[in-house]
Amino acid sequence: MKQTPGSTTPRATVATFSTVTMPAVSVANGAAPAAESSIDLPLFDISHESSELGREIVQAAAKHGFLWISGSPSSSSANDGDQGSYDLDAATVQNVFDIGSRFFKGASGAEKAACKITKNRGFVDMKVENLDPQSHARGDFKQCFNLAEPDPDTCAWRQPLPPQFSESAADAALRDFHARCRAVATRVLRLIALGLGIEDADWFVKSHEKSPYTVRMLYYPQLPAGTDYRADADIRAGAHSDYGSITLLFTRPGQPGLEILQDDGNWARVPISPPGYHDPDFPPIVVNIGDLLQFWTNGLLKSTVHRVVLVEEEQPLEQRPSASTAAALGTDRYSIAVFVQPADETVLVPVPSRAVSERAAAFQKVQIGSGGGSATAETLGQTTAGEHLLGRLRATYGIAVTG
């Protein structure tokens, strides 16, 4: 069920670490100033499943590579008695943001160092990642923590956790969030399969069942007075594309910064919510296509380059910082990205879809993704999902992913 931005009524329509850099990305204007124009993404309610909705989502993913899904019912759907099933709610999501904030702001240097990034799991400090070294000499101005799903057989976490995560209430909340995000991802993968006309709606789901998804908590801190951050040279997250199948992105009200690269080579801001969105406390979830799904569909679905820039908080003038704090740059920004990746042993063969197979011949030499470790469609078809992901991560972190 697609929702029109500006309306709440759903309607059916078609520690200290050295900087690690990645090989250059092919984004000529990765250091361009923050975009002046914005784009309202297509908005969908996926609480009900249908082939028609799947086709609409595929069309949006083919055009933009990004879309919004409602995380909560609109008042009109509730009044109509047409309220479907939703896997998340505002309180659940805010609680996970609060847990992340307590870690980023409260953990000691020793606690963070004890969880530093290994095998794509753990803590990444400021300026360690450089997603776009072609445009930026220094690493990204952000911190993050990659949390893989617990082992389904033992229920044990697959990595060391800081005290802020291992406390019993936080532990339970993080496990619950992982499970709920998997349910959302399953809905999206089924709808994409339906939209592509695949006979088995679980064709994608089956290859993802044994793969641990990664919840990446991100913190872009306000920069203090006297910071050496330079708007013409630095960035919060450099231009890149995501590696896996899809990404679910959760944002907070009043904390903008995401931009996507349009076909004309210009950047466009992605608002936190479309105009008139029905839930001010739980913005719509951003869904974007990753490199693997672009490959799987022979380029039908689009893995779009995106970045995060430093901009001021979206808030009324009377609520903005006073003159005494005006010297600080930007405001704290938090987001949570859930990376959905097929099982490592998945052989990357094209999906059984007529719309996909018709594109096969023309797609063989096409470059997949932007960033280190990217490949052509031809070479990707000779590898597995795990080999592809490892190549991209080695380019990002170096030996940290294997040791």
Side-chain angles (χ1 to χ4, degrees):
M1 187 178 297
K2 185 176 181 180
Q3 293 180 284
T4 304
S7 170
T8 59
T9 304
R11 65 180 179 88
T13 66
V14 173
T16 302
F17 309 102
S18 60
T19 299
V20 178
T21 61
M22 298 172 64
V25 296
S26 301
V27 181
N29 61 344
E36 297 182 358
S37 62
S38 64
I39 181 172
D40 282 332
L41 301 173
L43 174 66
F44 300 94
D45 184 329
I46 65 169
S47 61
H48 298 282
E49 182 181 279
S50 69
S51 295
E52 179 185 4
L53 176 58
R55 288 190 292 269
E56 292 171 357
I57 287 176
V58 164
Q59 290 170 3
K63 181 177 181 180
H64 301 288
F66 274 72
L67 53 96
W68 278 315
I69 59 173
S70 296
S72 60
S74 65
S75 57
S76 59
S77 63
N79 293 335
D80 292 341
D82 190 33
Q83 183 173 333
S85 174
Y86 296 85
D87 299 295
L88 288 158
D89 56 71
T92 296
V93 174
Q94 183 59 54
N95 187 33
V96 176
F97 272 106
D98 291 343
I99 293 169
S101 177
R102 288 195 293 271
F103 167 74
F104 289 121
K105 289 196 166 185
S108 67
E111 289 171 336
K112 291 180 176 179
C115 300
K116 69 179 180 180
I117 188 78
T118 301
K119 298 181 180 179
N120 196 32
R121 299 163 188 164
F123 173 67
V124 181
D125 208 347
M126 290 274 284
K127 306 178 190 176
V128 170
E129 286 187 348
N130 190 343
L131 293 174
D132 182 9
Q134 176 178 295
S135 303
H136 308 282
R138 294 196 292 181
D140 298 345
F141 278 62
K142 68 175 187 288
Q143 298 180 25
C144 45
F145 194 102
N146 291 2
L147 182 64
E149 277 183 298
D151 186 289
D153 297 322
T154 67
C155 296
W157 292 104
R158 304 170 191 255
Q159 64 194 91
L161 296 185
Q164 294 80 7
F165 293 179
S166 58
E167 180 271 327
S168 60
D171 181 283
L174 292 171
R175 291 173 184 271
D176 176 66
F177 185 68
H178 261 295
R180 290 171 182 259
C181 288
R182 179 170 283 274
V184 173
T186 296
R187 289 177 186 263
V188 175
L189 291 172
R190 282 182 55 86
L191 284 164
I192 290 173
L194 289 170
L196 290 172
I198 300 174
E199 185 175 345
D200 181 3
D202 285 327
W203 194 89
F204 288 117
V205 174
K206 290 174 181 176
S207 63
H208 290 72
E209 287 175 338
K210 296 182 179 180
S211 174
Y213 296 173
T214 297
V215 167
R216 165 170 265 210
M217 302 180 189
L218 292 130
Y219 172 45
Y220 306 86
Q222 181 185 57
L223 302 177
T227 178
D228 62 351
Y229 179 95
R230 291 173 47 208
D232 61 339
D234 298 314
I235 199 165
R236 282 184 153 177
H240 66 285
S241 60
D242 290 348
Y243 310 155
S245 299
I246 61 172
T247 302
L248 309 178
L249 179 66
F250 299 84
T251 58
R252 293 293 77 202
Q255 297 180 13
L258 175 64
E259 296 185 351
I260 65 174
L261 189 64
Q262 301 180 102
D263 290 339
D264 63 3
N266 293 316
W267 292 98
R269 301 192 311 269
V270 177
I272 296 298
S273 299
Y277 188 66
H278 63 272
D279 193 337
D281 298 320
F282 186 7
I285 304 165
V286 178
V287 178
N288 66 280
I289 303 300
D291 297 343
L292 277 181
L293 203 51
Q294 177 180 330
F295 164 75
W296 252 340
T297 59
N298 285 334
L300 177 61
L301 303 188
K302 183 179 180 182
S303 180
T304 298
V305 174
H306 51 285
R307 66 179 186 173
V308 177
V309 298
L310 193 155
V311 294
E312 293 301 323
E313 183 178 5
E314 293 176 343
Q315 58 183 7
L317 182 62
E318 64 272 13
Q319 296 179 16
R320 293 179 184 174
S322 64
S324 62
T325 61
L329 188 59
T331 56
D332 284 347
R333 180 183 188 270
Y334 294 90
S335 64
I336 299 173
V338 182
F339 296 118
V340 177
Q341 169 82 13
D344 286 350
E345 64 272 16
T346 303
V347 179
L348 302 178
V349 297
V351 300
S353 161
R354 181 176 180 179
V356 171
S357 62
E358 290 175 345
R359 304 172 58 90
F363 191 64
Q364 286 305 298
K365 303 294 184 181
V366 173
Q367 184 79 12
I368 304 294
S370 292
S374 57
T376 64
E378 187 174 43
T379 58
L380 215 70
Q382 302 167 8
T383 188
T384 65
E387 289 166 343
H388 166 71
L389 178 62
L390 185 60
R392 298 299 299 269
L393 293 174
R394 278 177 173 158
T396 307
Y397 299 115
I399 196 169
V401 299
T402 56

